[in-house]
Amino acid sequence: MAESQSTTLTLTEVRNVEFRTDTQTHSPSSKLSNEPIKLDIEHAVVEDDPRLWSNTKKNAILFIISGASMIAGFSTNIQNPANAQIQQQLHASSGDISLSLSLFILIQGNFPIIWSAIGEVKGRKLVYLLSIALFTLGSVIVAVSRTIGLVIGMRIVQGAGSSAVFAIGAATLADIYEPHQRGTMMGIYYSAPLIGPSLGPIFGGVLTQALDWRAVFWFLVIWGGIMFLTFFFLFKDTFRKERSMTYQNVLKRRLREQHSSEAKDESYKISEKESEVDEENKTSSKDIEAQRTVIPASAIEKVQLSITDVNPFHPYLSIVSRKNNLVILIASGLTFAFGFSIPYTCARTLSMYYDYDALKTGLVLLAYGIGTVAGSILGGRWSDRTLARLKAANGGISFPEMRLESTKVAMVWLPPAVIGYAWVCQERVNVAAVCVMLFLAGFLSIWIYTSTLAYIVDANTGRSSAAVATNSSFRGLFAFVAAEIAVPLQDTIGDGGLYTLWAGLIVVIECMILLVLYKGSQWREASVEREKQKLDVE
């Protein structure tokens, strides 16, 4: 059955495959009717289907990619306690230190576009191995650096290497889990890199005080080496080209080229036969458009992609050209920027006004980390429950925007929590109050962020890797800007003014999410129709 479905395709059927990628319904009963089968790229027949793997195998993959994602979390903030030593020993300025942090997050956010393109050619596993090897190499060179310029350069290499798991990790989850399971699993997966920004300052402080700043980066070398070996020996690739929009588009283009060539050859045969029959029979069974183009499985297997087939910028532009994607990407990027800014500025506040050392600062920031982990896991579960409830109420039919309904619970409380944090820090009240507000800000912001990330995956079936890479690009850009303006604003208007502004911006973010909730489906369907018309013209 699987072979017949994959080897016999008409040109019209080939064209229609691409634009069934947004459906989330799959009706086996269509096989028994006279209606054409509507192919769903999410459920294309594949060999060794990752969706059918055992829960043990899936959990192992979730554990591995979560461990790898901690690399990105640790390497973002673990340097902070060592900055004073780096500045002193390498004769660097505060601007140099700031540049090493902001460039790291900028590259980490935008390089996944490249990794995503490579992943569509060679699969997920090779991308994981290459990226972690690059991260580990960058960490080694930072650890032995004698100049601040080399440190900045290799921090950029670290950012590029640590970035792949952000794009490919979420795509891997999309490979092995059905849409109704992704919210919970995305929450568990995303909780891992959130641990890093909280534990990073603690590890960095302990290593710097016990040894020196270079020990921080040797720790990252060890972690990177462990993850490289884990992926090499234990990880099984989840990528299936039959479920990749990139592969499907290339296949359809090759089929059209083959069809055009065959049509020219067949036209000569038809002309010869037409001269031998009556005029009324000329257009009988030899009509080219009525013939079925049979593509053997062996021919499909021979379709090889090159880097020209997966231009990394074409998927990026394709994702942002959809209005629903653009709005939710901006909202998601700003939410991430807030989460990046708050521990950075809080560390300065604790150091300047509470006279806390690196270790004590890390312990306070742990409250934020615990909040983000709890919000990611619980928010992901609530997202799946909301999707299941709305799907049942809608006659068993779901669409991606349903998931965003789960964000309403956190929307009510996040702006007051941010304002509370702003003025608790501004008035220098007891550090226990700071911890409480940090926990609430982390819990509520990540609750929302987890659902937006799951929506981005669900709304871009067949190209989840490119969609998450685009999301990473947006959040990297916004986090870079947030890091660059945070300190000047904090020094000018204080924590009270800075985070009151953030609270107002969060209200705007929430309005954008609600706009996608109520208008996203209409925008998405219009985009699909527009893309289909464009393909027909071509």
Side-chain angles (χ1 to χ4, degrees):
M1 177 68 70
E3 183 178 15
S4 65
Q5 289 180 346
S6 61
T7 59
T8 305
L9 293 171
T10 66
L11 181 63
T12 303
E13 287 171 337
V14 169
R15 283 188 176 182
N16 288 339
V17 170
E18 180 175 2
F19 296 100
R20 294 302 306 170
T21 58
D22 287 314
T23 182
Q24 292 194 24
T25 61
H26 184 62
S27 177
S29 62
S30 62
K31 296 179 182 179
L32 304 178
S33 69
N34 293 325
E35 298 178 359
I37 297 175
K38 295 179 179 179
L39 299 180
D40 177 1
I41 199 170
E42 280 274 6
H43 301 91
V45 177
V46 296
E47 184 178 352
D48 190 22
D49 190 345
R51 303 261 177 87
L52 301 180
W53 288 352
S54 67
N55 287 333
T56 300
K57 196 170 185 178
K58 291 180 180 180
N59 290 338
I61 290 174
L62 177 61
F63 178 78
I64 291 171
I65 63 173
S66 296
S69 69
M70 290 182 68
I71 288 177
F74 269 120
S75 54
T76 301
N77 289 347
I78 198 171
Q79 175 188 329
N80 288 340
N83 284 339
Q85 273 196 20
I86 295 174
Q87 188 171 345
Q88 180 183 8
Q89 293 185 18
L90 300 184
H91 309 290
S93 66
S94 58
D96 293 330
I97 299 298
S98 178
L99 195 61
S100 71
L101 296 172
S102 58
L103 283 178
F104 174 88
I105 196 66
L106 179 65
I107 298 301
Q108 188 186 68
N110 285 277
F111 212 81
I113 297 174
I114 307 298
W115 292 127
S116 175
I118 297 173
E120 297 297 333
V121 178
K122 298 297 183 181
R124 318 284 191 216
K125 183 170 183 175
L126 182 62
V127 170
Y128 283 126
L129 292 175
L130 288 175
S131 62
I132 294 174
L134 186 64
F135 168 81
T136 305
L137 175 63
S139 299
V140 169
I141 299 178
V142 171
V144 299
S145 294
R146 298 298 176 184
T147 65
I148 188 61
L150 187 57
V151 169
I152 293 173
M154 289 302 103
R155 283 290 281 171
I156 291 174
V157 172
Q158 278 188 311
S162 66
S163 66
V165 70
F166 278 133
I168 309 300
T172 300
L173 295 184
D175 291 340
I176 63 178
Y177 290 111
E178 295 287 354
H180 68 273
Q181 299 173 305
R182 289 177 192 158
T184 298
M185 299 308 168
M186 206 73 75
I188 295 172
Y189 155 71
Y190 197 69
S191 67
L194 293 173
I195 295 175
S198 302
L199 295 183
I202 297 176
F203 278 81
V206 170
L207 290 171
T208 301
Q209 290 182 10
L211 300 170
D212 68 355
W213 68 269
R214 299 180 189 277
V216 169
F217 295 97
W218 285 119
F219 169 80
L220 294 178
V221 171
I222 295 171
W223 189 266
I226 291 172
M227 294 314 306
F228 181 88
L229 294 175
T230 301
F231 273 102
F232 187 83
F233 290 108
L234 301 180
F235 182 81
K236 185 173 183 179
D237 206 337
T238 62
F239 176 73
R240 298 294 181 268
K241 59 187 179 182
E242 294 85 354
R243 292 175 177 170
S244 165
M245 277 293 291
T246 299
Y247 169 77
Q248 291 295 318
N249 289 338
V250 172
L251 177 60
K252 286 192 284 288
R253 185 168 66 247
R254 301 284 176 84
L255 288 171
R256 291 191 196 101
E257 292 171 356
Q258 177 180 339
H259 177 81
S260 177
S261 176
E262 291 177 352
K264 291 178 181 179
D265 294 338
E266 189 70 17
S267 64
Y268 292 107
K269 297 179 183 179
I270 294 173
S271 298
E272 293 175 358
K273 295 199 175 200
E274 284 176 345
S275 64
E276 300 174 1
V277 297
D278 295 333
E279 190 74 17
E280 60 198 65
N281 295 325
K282 286 182 180 178
T283 58
S284 58
S285 62
K286 294 297 182 181
D287 184 8
I288 295 299
E289 292 299 318
Q291 302 304 304
R292 296 181 66 82
T293 303
V294 179
I295 307 299
S298 58
I300 294 176
E301 289 297 323
K302 290 180 181 178
V303 174
Q304 299 293 327
L305 303 187
S306 67
I307 195 63
T308 59
D309 292 314
V310 286
N311 179 350
F313 302 105
H314 181 268
Y316 181 95
L317 295 175
S318 178
I319 295 296
V320 299
S321 67
R322 293 188 175 188
K323 191 184 298 185
N324 65 302
N325 284 341
L326 182 60
V327 175
I328 205 70
L329 285 168
I330 294 173
S332 177
L334 289 171
T335 304
F336 180 84
F338 166 76
F340 183 77
S341 174
I342 195 168
Y344 179 42
T345 57
C346 185
R348 294 185 77 242
T349 297
L350 292 172
S351 175
M352 293 187 299
Y353 302 110
Y354 289 80
D355 197 27
Y356 275 23
D357 59 22
L359 185 56
K360 288 182 178 179
T361 298
L363 291 173
V364 172
L365 292 177
L366 187 60
Y368 180 79
I370 294 172
T372 56
V373 171
S376 182
I377 295 174
L378 296 179
R381 288 178 177 270
W382 184 257
S383 177
D384 280 347
R385 288 185 61 183
T386 301
L387 179 63
R389 174 173 56 82
L390 294 177
K391 179 179 179 180
N394 196 39
I397 299 175
S398 66
F399 49 89
E401 288 74 22
M402 287 180 174
R403 187 179 294 282
L404 297 178
E405 185 76 25
S406 64
T407 62
K408 289 182 178 179
V409 177
M411 285 182 181
V412 176
W413 302 105
L414 180 55
V418 175
I419 292 175
Y421 168 79
W423 294 100
V424 161
C425 289
Q426 183 71 27
E427 299 300 324
R428 321 291 184 234
V429 301
N430 189 280
V431 74
V434 175
C435 290
V436 171
M437 302 317 297
L438 280 172
F439 175 87
L440 291 175
F443 181 87
L444 295 168
S445 63
I446 296 302
W447 181 293
I448 293 174
Y449 182 82
T450 300
S451 290
T452 62
L453 182 60
Y455 170 78
I456 289 167
V457 172
D458 290 349
N460 294 278
T461 52
R463 47 184 179 182
S464 56
S465 178
V468 177
T470 305
N471 177 66
S472 182
S473 175
F474 271 69
R475 74 182 193 179
L477 177 61
F478 285 125
F480 172 79
V481 174
E484 289 297 305
I485 68 174
V487 172
L489 286 176
Q490 187 181 29
D491 291 341
T492 302
I493 59 178
D495 286 311
L498 174 59
Y499 285 98
T500 298
L501 289 176
W502 264 115
L505 188 56
I506 285 171
V507 172
V508 175
I509 293 169
E510 293 175 348
C511 290
M512 296 174 73
I513 295 173
L514 292 175
L515 188 62
V516 176
L517 171 61
Y518 295 114
K519 292 289 187 179
S521 179
Q522 177 183 339
W523 291 342
R524 182 166 45 81
E525 291 171 2
S527 297
V528 170
E529 184 61 29
R530 184 174 63 251
E531 292 168 8
K532 183 176 181 180
Q533 292 174 358
K534 182 178 179 181
L535 181 67
D536 290 339
V537 171
E538 294 175 354

Short mmCIF file of all heavy atoms in Angstrom, two decimals, residues 401 405 408 513-522:
data_model
loop_
_atom_site.label_atom_id
_atom_site.label_comp_id
_atom_site.label_asym_id
_atom_site.label_seq_id
_atom_site.Cartn_x
_atom_site.Cartn_y
_atom_site.Cartn_z
N GLU A 401 -4.28 27.93 15.52
CA GLU A 401 -4.60 29.09 16.35
C GLU A 401 -5.29 28.72 17.66
O GLU A 401 -5.25 29.50 18.63
CB GLU A 401 -5.47 30.07 15.57
CG GLU A 401 -4.74 30.83 14.47
CD GLU A 401 -4.42 29.97 13.26
OE1 GLU A 401 -5.10 28.93 13.07
OE2 GLU A 401 -3.49 30.32 12.51
N GLU A 405 -5.15 30.10 22.61
CA GLU A 405 -6.16 30.36 23.63
C GLU A 405 -5.59 30.15 25.03
O GLU A 405 -6.01 30.80 26.00
CB GLU A 405 -7.36 29.44 23.41
CG GLU A 405 -8.55 29.68 24.32
CD GLU A 405 -9.36 30.91 23.93
OE1 GLU A 405 -9.32 31.30 22.75
OE2 GLU A 405 -10.03 31.48 24.82
N LYS A 408 -4.14 33.13 27.42
CA LYS A 408 -4.96 34.15 28.07
C LYS A 408 -4.81 34.15 29.59
O LYS A 408 -4.87 35.20 30.24
CB LYS A 408 -6.44 33.96 27.71
CG LYS A 408 -6.78 34.32 26.27
CD LYS A 408 -8.26 34.14 26.01
CE LYS A 408 -8.66 34.54 24.60
NZ LYS A 408 -10.11 34.35 24.35
N ILE A 513 -0.71 38.72 20.03
CA ILE A 513 -1.04 37.29 20.12
C ILE A 513 -2.54 37.09 19.97
O ILE A 513 -3.00 36.17 19.27
CB ILE A 513 -0.53 36.71 21.45
CG1 ILE A 513 1.00 36.76 21.51
CG2 ILE A 513 -1.02 35.27 21.64
CD1 ILE A 513 1.59 36.37 22.85
N LEU A 514 -3.33 37.95 20.61
CA LEU A 514 -4.79 37.84 20.47
C LEU A 514 -5.22 38.11 19.03
O LEU A 514 -6.19 37.49 18.54
CB LEU A 514 -5.47 38.84 21.42
CG LEU A 514 -5.33 38.55 22.91
CD1 LEU A 514 -5.95 39.68 23.73
CD2 LEU A 514 -6.00 37.22 23.27
N LEU A 515 -4.53 39.00 18.36
CA LEU A 515 -4.85 39.28 16.95
C LEU A 515 -4.65 38.03 16.10
O LEU A 515 -5.48 37.70 15.24
CB LEU A 515 -3.97 40.42 16.45
CG LEU A 515 -4.29 40.98 15.06
CD1 LEU A 515 -5.70 41.57 15.03
CD2 LEU A 515 -3.26 42.04 14.67
N VAL A 516 -3.55 37.30 16.35
CA VAL A 516 -3.31 36.06 15.62
C VAL A 516 -4.33 35.00 16.01
O VAL A 516 -4.79 34.21 15.17
CB VAL A 516 -1.88 35.56 15.87
CG1 VAL A 516 -1.65 34.20 15.19
CG2 VAL A 516 -0.86 36.57 15.37
N LEU A 517 -4.71 34.96 17.29
CA LEU A 517 -5.71 34.00 17.75
C LEU A 517 -7.01 34.13 16.97
O LEU A 517 -7.61 33.13 16.56
CB LEU A 517 -5.95 34.20 19.25
CG LEU A 517 -7.12 33.41 19.87
CD1 LEU A 517 -6.90 31.91 19.72
CD2 LEU A 517 -7.29 33.80 21.34
N TYR A 518 -7.45 35.37 16.75
CA TYR A 518 -8.75 35.58 16.13
C TYR A 518 -8.69 35.79 14.61
O TYR A 518 -9.67 35.54 13.91
CB TYR A 518 -9.44 36.79 16.78
CG TYR A 518 -9.77 36.55 18.23
CD1 TYR A 518 -9.16 37.28 19.24
CD2 TYR A 518 -10.69 35.57 18.60
CE1 TYR A 518 -9.45 37.05 20.58
CE2 TYR A 518 -10.98 35.33 19.93
CZ TYR A 518 -10.37 36.08 20.92
OH TYR A 518 -10.66 35.84 22.25
N LYS A 519 -7.53 36.24 14.09
CA LYS A 519 -7.43 36.51 12.66
C LYS A 519 -6.43 35.59 11.95
O LYS A 519 -6.38 35.56 10.71
CB LYS A 519 -6.98 37.96 12.44
CG LYS A 519 -8.01 39.00 12.84
CD LYS A 519 -9.19 39.01 11.87
CE LYS A 519 -10.12 40.17 12.16
NZ LYS A 519 -11.26 40.21 11.20
N GLY A 520 -5.63 34.86 12.72
CA GLY A 520 -4.54 34.07 12.14
C GLY A 520 -4.99 33.03 11.14
O GLY A 520 -4.35 32.84 10.10
N SER A 521 -6.08 32.34 11.44
CA SER A 521 -6.56 31.29 10.54
C SER A 521 -6.93 31.87 9.18
O SER A 521 -6.58 31.32 8.12
CB SER A 521 -7.78 30.58 11.16
OG SER A 521 -8.26 29.59 10.30
N GLN A 522 -7.62 33.00 9.19
CA GLN A 522 -8.01 33.67 7.94
C GLN A 522 -6.77 34.11 7.15
O GLN A 522 -6.69 33.91 5.94
CB GLN A 522 -8.89 34.87 8.27
CG GLN A 522 -9.31 35.70 7.08
CD GLN A 522 -10.13 36.92 7.50
OE1 GLN A 522 -10.70 36.95 8.59
NE2 GLN A 522 -10.15 37.93 6.64
#
